[in-house]
């Protein structure tokens, strides 16, 4: 698959949400032919993969992934965002998810690993089994910890050509704005040491701040060849519990319209 930066929204769970977001992307000017492609992230965990119930409203039943992907009919980049505590069998877990998705009529061939430094051997095995898979490594708050940007880049380098993207994501879907200075230092280190990787930012993007924050990133890096993704900032809380919230289509539209003013 062609490596392009994306503008993403993570967390749709229903056909109506997917349909609404696909239209919102199109209205904002994003398509699979635009410089930044539209991405929808579908959350899967080891728990939901096993069919176990979850109170987190951002996770669709795994059996509904195919219909959700088909609903977009090739108009967006579909991506599974997977998290698990069982790192030793990561590749086989991913295989359970993609056994039907990878070669479907409207295939999903993109995977974000929301795992703190997954085993290099497991990630390489995933790439060996699914050679066209675009693998995104999430550099979360836990992954980056107290490491220097140079140390983070060195850890990422160990994955070699198995990964295509790195998402600098200190928020982890909690809607918290990231420390732009630190994230930019990590970004610039990765771009300098690993120029073949596509790098992105996530953390608290909303319709109110995305234009200004993206403009600042462009101003400080001198380029716009990066990805952005939004999740928690586009949702309405039902309670204080993480994931007890609902996607707000108006917030999603505002985010996409704001992003489109600076990322075409």
């Amino acid at each position: 698959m062609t490596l392009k930066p994306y503008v993403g929204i993570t967390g749709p769970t229903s056909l109506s949400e997917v349909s609404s977001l696909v239209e919102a992307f199109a209205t904002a000017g994003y398509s699979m032919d635009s410089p930044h492609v539209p991405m929808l992230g579908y959350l899967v965990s080891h728990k939901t993969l096993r069919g176990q119930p979850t109170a987190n409203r951002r996770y669709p039943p795994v059996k509904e992934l195919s219909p959700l992907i088909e609903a977009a009919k090739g108009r967006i980049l579909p991506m599974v965002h997977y998290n698990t505590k069982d790192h030793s069998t990561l590749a086989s877990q991913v295989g359970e998810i993609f056994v039907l998705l990878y070669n479907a009529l409207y295939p999903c061939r993109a995977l974000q690993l929301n795992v703190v430094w997954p085993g290099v051997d497991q990630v390489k095995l995933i790439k060996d089994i699914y050679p066209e898979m675009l693998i995104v490594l999430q550099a979360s708050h836990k992954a980056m910890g107290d490491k220097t940007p140079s140390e983070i880049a060195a850890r990422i380098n160990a994955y070699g050509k198995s990964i295509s993207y790195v998402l600098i994501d200190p928020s982890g879907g909690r809607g918290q704005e990231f420390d732009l200075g630190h994230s930019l230092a990590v970004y610039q280190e990765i771009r300098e040491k690993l120029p073949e990787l596509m790098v992105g930012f996530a953390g608290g993007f909303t319709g109110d701040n995305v234009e200004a924050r993206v403009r600042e990133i462009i101003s400080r890096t001198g380029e716009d060849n990066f990805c952005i993704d939004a999740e928690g900032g586009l949702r309405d809380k039902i309670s204080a519990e993480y994931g007890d919230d609902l996607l707000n289509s108006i917030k999603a539209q505002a985010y996409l319209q704001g992003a489109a003013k600076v990322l075409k």
Side-chain angles (χ1 to χ4, degrees), residues 87 90 113 115-127 135-139 143 151-166 194 196-197:
H87 295 189
L90 178 60
L113 293 172
V115 177
V116 178
W117 300 119
V120 172
D121 58 337
Q122 290 291 308
V123 179
K124 288 184 176 180
L125 182 55
I126 294 169
K127 189 67 172 180
I135 299 179
V136 184
L137 182 70
Q138 182 199 45
E151 290 170 336
I152 293 168
R155 282 292 293 269
I156 293 170
N157 186 50
Y159 294 93
K161 295 183 179 180
S162 298
I163 63 172
S164 301
Y165 295 81
V166 174
L194 307 167
E196 71 281 3
L197 290 177

Side-chain angles (χ1 to χ4, degrees), residues 22-53:
V22 168
E23 292 306 316
F25 273 117
T27 299
Y30 292 108
S31 74
M32 294 304 291
D33 295 320
S34 57
H36 283 75
V37 299
M39 184 278 284
L40 286 181
Y42 302 101
L43 291 164
V44 181
S45 69
H46 188 262
K47 187 175 181 178
T48 62
L49 180 59
R50 296 287 171 258
Q52 298 172 10

Side-chain angles (χ1 to χ4, degrees), residues 123-239:
V123 179
K124 288 184 176 180
L125 182 55
I126 294 169
K127 189 67 172 180
D128 287 342
I129 297 170
Y130 301 106
E132 294 186 26
M133 188 78 81
L134 299 178
I135 299 179
V136 184
L137 182 70
Q138 182 199 45
S140 65
H141 173 72
K142 289 183 179 180
M144 292 187 287
D146 58 359
K147 296 179 179 63
T148 66
S150 180
E151 290 170 336
I152 293 168
R155 282 292 293 269
I156 293 170
N157 186 50
Y159 294 93
K161 295 183 179 180
S162 298
I163 63 172
S164 301
Y165 295 81
V166 174
L167 185 72
I168 301 170
D169 184 9
S171 175
R174 296 183 181 275
Q176 300 170 347
E177 289 194 15
F178 55 89
D179 180 332
L180 190 55
H182 181 261
S183 291
L184 282 172
V186 174
Y187 174 86
Q188 290 168 334
E189 189 72 18
I190 296 171
R191 293 289 288 153
E192 179 182 339
K193 300 292 178 59
L194 307 167
E196 71 281 3
L197 290 177
M198 190 72 68
V199 188
F201 300 91
F205 283 124
T206 68
D208 293 329
N209 68 21
V210 64
E211 180 183 356
R213 288 179 72 77
V214 171
R215 284 193 188 280
E216 185 171 0
I217 294 171
I218 294 172
S219 174
R220 293 173 65 171
T221 63
E223 58 187 24
D224 63 1
N225 190 36
F226 55 83
C227 310
I228 62 170
D229 191 14
E231 185 180 336
L234 308 184
R235 306 181 72 88
D236 293 329
K237 290 183 177 295
I238 295 175
S239 74

